[in-house]
Amino acid sequence: GENVEQHPSTLSVQEGDSAVIKCTYSDSASNYFPWYKQELGKRPQLIIDIRSNVGEKKDQRIAVTLNKTAKHFSLHITETQPEDSAVYFCAASSGGSYIPTFGRGTSLIVHP
Amino acid sequence: KAGVTQTPRYLIKTRGQQVTLSCSPISGHRSVSWYQQTPGQGLQFLFEYFSETQRNKGNFPGRFSGRQFSNSRSEMNVSTLELGDSALYLCASSVGQGNEKLFFGSGTQLSVL
């Protein structure tokens, strides 16, 4: 089955800095890569996703890049703000699976 | 459009007891999946139901079971509770086509004493 590794487990940055979270996956058939954000005490919510026919996707201050050859994808957050503090989960799924496999999460702390 | 609703929000049980958690998906969603969340372990997949059938299953013991009703509402049952079952249990709903956005509920926080 699919295996998703996520790094780092904790990331601490100053407000205004950029943050990068990296994930690798094992199944070359995976073609859908969502990212979820879970604020403290709240439910995970999708913030951005990318499909394998696209190398990069942006939405305001967040962007995701995908390298299919190396089987890794990354989340980039620019100009971080305290409200970006949360746990971020990457995931991967293939057309044959209806359920994504999640990474273990990255706790992002943005210091004012 | 109402979101995914989970009940109860909190539960306290003792070892050996059993518990049933409920999840009502977004209207029109036919897939409901369940996850166990513990600190440092991320989201561990339990099982997924689609149109009243278990379509996918994770690596959890048989003490964990579930079902889905004709209105897509789902229940999860844990029998013979162990201390290690203490966790946040999240359900998520989707249309069920695969490779799509999951909508999570707020979860049920289960504490086993």
Side-chain angles (χ1 to χ4, degrees):
Chain A
E2 176 66 276
N3 182 50
V4 176
E5 299 285 339
Q6 182 171 350
H7 299 281
S9 57
T10 305
L11 180 58
S12 183
V13 300
Q14 289 297 127
E15 182 176 359
D17 287 350
S18 293
V20 181
I21 301 170
K22 299 182 179 182
C23 291
T24 60
Y25 60 99
S26 60
D27 188 352
S28 57
S30 288
N31 55 9
Y32 176 63
F33 307 91
W35 287 87
Y36 288 82
K37 173 185 180 182
Q38 185 178 28
E39 296 177 38
L40 189 63
K42 297 194 175 180
R43 69 190 74 191
Q45 292 190 300
L46 182 78
I47 55 171
I48 194 167
D49 56 12
I50 191 168
R51 299 184 188 272
S52 59
N53 58 345
V54 176
E56 184 176 3
K57 185 176 180 180
K58 288 183 179 180
D59 183 4
Q60 300 183 335
R61 295 186 298 107
I62 61 172
V64 58
T65 58
L66 171 65
N67 183 326
K68 287 185 293 182
T69 303
K71 288 191 279 189
H72 67 68
F73 56 112
S74 301
L75 178 71
H76 305 252
I77 305 175
T78 59
E79 301 173 17
T80 53
Q81 300 167 6
E83 52 264 39
D84 293 329
S85 295
V87 177
Y88 291 80
F89 294 98
C90 65
S93 66
S94 66
S97 170
Y98 298 94
I99 297 299
T101 299
F102 285 88
R104 291 196 170 190
T106 295
S107 178
L108 174 64
I109 304 165
V110 180
H111 299 279
Chain B
K1 202 173 189 181
V4 179
T5 304
Q6 288 188 250
T7 57
R9 188 70 180 91
Y10 301 95
L11 265 178
I12 299 175
K13 294 287 186 179
T14 55
R15 279 182 301 172
Q17 287 187 309
Q18 73 164 18
V19 66
T20 300
L21 314 181
S22 179
C23 175
S24 293
I26 289 173
S27 177
H29 285 187
R30 296 165 66 188
S31 170
V32 175
S33 50
W34 289 88
Y35 296 85
Q36 181 193 67
Q37 184 173 29
T38 53
Q41 293 300 312
L43 298 166
Q44 301 290 309
F45 170 67
L46 282 152
F47 30 66
E48 183 236 359
Y49 285 85
F50 178 80
S51 293
E52 301 179 66
T53 301
Q54 188 181 86
R55 188 165 61 175
N56 289 280
K57 188 177 187 304
N59 297 320
F60 276 80
R63 300 185 297 108
F64 292 81
S65 63
R67 59 178 176 168
Q68 187 180 35
F69 302 95
S70 58
N71 61 356
S72 293
R73 188 178 71 85
S74 178
E75 288 183 346
M76 188 190 98
N77 185 76
V78 188
S79 63
T80 320
L81 284 166
E82 299 177 0
L83 295 178
D85 296 333
S86 294
L88 178 67
Y89 290 88
L90 292 162
C91 78
S93 79
S94 67
V95 173
Q97 302 297 320
N99 290 355
E100 61 191 351
K101 178 178 179 178
L102 298 180
F103 293 83
F104 284 88
S106 295
T108 294
Q109 183 67 54
L110 173 64
S111 297
V112 182
L113 306 178

